[in-house]
C-alpha cells in the first residue's frame, strides 16, 4: 500500500501489519473523520490520517488505535480488490454462518436492533438521541453490528483451532495460536482487564489461567467477550444502557468461576489508606488526537481535566477528575461513572524510552507536551 504514510518517513517504514494488529504502531485512536458513504471511504480516511500525530514511536509501547484498524481494513481492500464490508462477509461472516452480523445501518433494519439508552444512575433511562453516530469510515474499528450468539460462534471457531461448526477451515491452527501469543504487556491492567495484547485479542492472566477476548463500546452500548481455552468456555455479553461495567463484573466473576475455575480480580479502587506520593513530577499537559489532559496539583492532591478537542470536541463536556493514589504512578480517577471501570477510572503515568512522560487513560497513551 504505497500511498500509506505518517508524519515522518522513518515511522512510516517502521509500521508493520503485526504492529497494527497489536496496537503497537504508535497510530492514535480518536481521529474522527467522516469521509462519506462511498465505497472509497476507507481510502479517503487513510489519506486524511497522514498528518495526525503519533501517540508514540512505532514498536515502543501499546496505545489502542482506531486509525491502525482502519489501515488494516484498507489493506484488506487492496489485497482482495473488494470493499472492506464485502470482504468481511465473503471471508468470515458467510462461511462462519454469522447471519446476524452486519456493518451498515440499513442492513440492521432486517433485525430487532437494540436502541442505546442514557441516563443518570437510579433513574429510568431514556433512548439516546441517535441510534448510529459513526460514519461509514469507522467500519473496521467500530461499525460491526452483531448479536451475542454470533460473537459466541466467532469465539467457538477460535476454540476449535480455526474451524467453523460445519467443518469449514477459516484460519490455520498456527494463525489461531499466533493471535493469542503476547506481543506487548499492558501498562493499564484495569480499563479492559488487560495483561497484554496479542494480534487482535486482548490477553488475560487470571492467576495463571490464560484467556483472551475483547471489549467494545458505542454511545450507551457496551460489549464483552471472554474466552478461556483451557476450559473450552466463551461468554459474550451485549448491553444497551445502564451500569454495563458493573453488570459485566458481577456476571463474569460468577460465570467464569463456575464454568472455568477463573478468579477475576477485584474491582479497581484505591486502598483504604492511599499512599502519599510526590505528585509534582506528573503535573503538566498531555495531548493526543482528540483529547487534551491537564494535570495539576491542588492542596497536595492530584487533579485532572480531560477535555475533548479536534473532531471529538462535541463528544462530551470536559471532565473534572480527582486523582486518588494507588501507587506512585497509578491513580484512581473519581466522578467519571462506570463506563471506564466499575467505580473509578484507571489513570496510569509512565515514561517512553526517549524519556517523554505519558499518561494512559482507556488504553490510550497521551504524551506529555508541556
Amino acid at each position: 500500500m504505497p500511498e500509506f504514510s505518517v508524519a515522518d518517513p522513518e515511522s512510516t517504514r517502521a509500521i508493520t501489519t503485526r504492529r497494527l494488529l497489536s496496537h503497537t504502531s504508535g497510530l492514535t485512536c480518536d481521529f474522527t473523520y467522516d469521509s462519506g458513504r462511498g465505497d472509497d471511504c476507507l481510502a479517503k480516511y487513510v489519506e486524511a490520517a497522514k498528518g495526525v500525530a503519533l501517540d508514540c514511536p512505532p514498536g515502543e509501547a501499546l496505545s489502542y488505535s482506531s486509525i491502525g484498524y482502519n489501515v488494516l481494513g484498507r489493506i484488506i481492500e487492496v489485497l482482495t480488490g473488494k470493499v472492506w464490508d464485502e470482504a468481511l462477509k465473503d471471508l468470515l461472516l458467510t462461511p462462519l454462518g454469522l447471519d446476524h452480523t452486519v456493518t451498515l445501518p440499513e442492513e440492521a433494519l432486517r433485525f430487532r436492533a437494540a436502541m442505546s439508552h442514557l441516563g443518570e444512575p437510579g433513574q429510568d433511562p431514556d433512548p439516546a438521541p441517535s441510534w448510529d453516530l459513526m460514519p461509514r469510515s469507522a467500519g473496521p474499528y467500530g461499525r460491526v453490528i452483531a448479536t451475542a450468539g454470533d460473537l459466541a460462534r466467532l469465539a467457538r471457531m477460535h476454540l476449535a483451532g480455526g474451524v467453523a461448526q460445519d467443518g469449514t477451515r477459516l484460519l490455520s491452527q498456527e494463525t489461531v495460536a499466533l493471535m493469542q501469543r503476547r506481543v506487548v504487556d499492558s501498562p493499564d491492567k484495569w480499563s479492559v482487564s488487560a495483561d497484554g495484547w496479542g494480534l487482535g485479542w486482548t490477553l488475560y492472566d487470571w492467576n495463571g489461567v490464560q484467556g483472551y477476548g475483547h471489549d467494545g463500546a458505542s454511545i450507551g452500548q457496551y460489549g464483552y467477550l471472554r474466552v478461556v481455552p483451557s476450559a473450552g468456555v466463551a461468554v459474550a455479553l451485549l448491553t444497551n444502557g445502564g451500569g454495563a461495567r458493573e453488570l459485566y463484573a458481577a456476571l463474569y466473576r460468577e460465570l467464569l468461576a463456575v464454568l472455568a475455575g477463573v478468579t477475576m480480580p477485584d474491582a479497581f479502587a484505591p486502598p483504604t489508606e492511599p499512599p502519599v506520593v510526590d505528585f509534582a513530577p506528573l503535573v503538566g499537559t498531555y495531548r493526543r488526537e482528540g483529547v487534551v489532559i491537564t494535570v495539576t496539583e491542588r492542596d497536595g492532591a492530584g487533579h485532572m481535566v480531560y477535555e475533548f478537542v479536534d473532531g471529538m470536541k462535541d463528544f462530551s463536556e470536559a471532565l473534572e477528575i480527582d486523582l486518588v493514589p494507588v501507587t506512585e504512578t497509578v491513580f484512581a480517577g473519581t466522578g467519571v461513572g462506570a463506563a471506564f471501570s466499575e467505580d473509578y477510572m484507571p489513570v496510569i503515568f509512565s515514561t517512553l524510552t526517549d524519556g517523554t512522560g505519558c499518561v494512559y487513560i482507556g488504553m490510550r497513551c497521551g504524551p506529555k507536551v508541556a
Side-chain angles (χ1 to χ4, degrees), residues 118-330:
L118 304 171
E120 296 299 322
Q123 299 179 8
D124 288 338
D126 294 318
S130 176
W131 179 73
D132 181 19
L133 297 175
M134 292 186 183
R136 187 181 179 188
S137 57
Y141 75 72
R143 282 205 55 101
V144 180
I145 307 162
T147 62
D150 275 6
L151 273 181
R153 293 180 187 95
L154 175 68
R156 185 193 182 281
M157 182 266 287
H158 280 268
L159 283 171
V163 178
Q165 196 162 0
D166 66 358
T168 302
R169 176 163 291 281
L170 298 177
L171 294 173
S172 70
Q173 197 156 8
E174 293 78 13
T175 296
V176 170
L178 185 64
M179 291 177 68
Q180 299 171 30
R181 190 174 303 159
R182 186 176 298 200
V183 175
V184 62
D185 292 337
S186 174
D188 177 359
K189 301 184 183 301
W190 303 276
S191 291
V192 294
S193 309
D195 293 285
W197 224 277
L199 301 184
W201 289 121
T202 310
L203 304 181
Y204 316 101
D205 184 340
W206 295 297
N207 295 317
V209 180
Q210 305 300 310
Y212 57 91
H214 210 283
D215 293 354
S218 183
I219 303 298
Q221 301 208 23
Y222 300 90
Y224 307 90
L225 177 64
R226 298 290 183 269
V227 185
V228 188
S230 61
V233 167
V235 182
L237 169 68
L238 302 182
T239 71
N240 68 322
R245 185 75 183 184
E246 294 165 316
L247 174 64
Y248 148 77
L251 283 177
Y252 276 68
R253 282 194 180 104
E254 180 177 345
L255 289 172
L256 293 186
V258 172
L259 298 175
V262 165
T263 302
M264 289 179 60
D266 293 333
F268 176 76
T272 305
E273 296 184 7
V276 177
V277 303
D278 180 9
F279 199 77
L282 307 178
V283 169
T285 302
Y286 302 76
R287 181 175 179 126
R288 55 180 175 80
E289 180 69 22
V291 175
V292 173
I293 302 160
T294 305
V295 177
T296 58
E297 189 171 8
R298 296 183 180 179
D299 300 323
H303 184 79
M304 180 174 73
V305 178
Y306 191 91
E307 181 182 6
F308 297 95
V309 296
D310 307 321
M312 299 283 288
K313 61 180 172 31
D314 298 323
F315 182 78
S316 170
E317 297 292 330
L319 304 175
E320 298 275 350
I321 302 166
D322 291 326
L323 300 177
V324 183
V326 177
T327 70
E328 289 187 348
T329 57
V330 177

Side-chain angles (χ1 to χ4, degrees), residues 60-132:
E60 181 164 316
L62 170 71
S63 190
Y64 193 89
S65 172
S66 59
I67 291 182
Y69 269 70
N70 265 13
V71 174
L72 287 166
R74 178 61 185 151
I75 291 172
I76 289 171
E77 291 186 336
V78 171
L79 289 176
T80 64
K82 300 179 179 181
V83 176
W84 173 80
D85 309 80
E86 296 174 353
L88 183 69
K89 290 176 185 175
D90 293 346
L91 297 175
L92 180 67
L93 304 184
T94 298
L96 194 51
L98 305 186
D99 53 11
H100 282 64
T101 299
V102 298
T103 59
L104 298 173
E106 59 267 27
E107 296 176 312
L109 290 172
R110 296 186 291 132
F111 309 110
R112 296 176 60 224
M115 188 71 190
S116 300
H117 286 73
L118 304 171
E120 296 299 322
Q123 299 179 8
D124 288 338
D126 294 318
S130 176
W131 179 73
D132 181 19

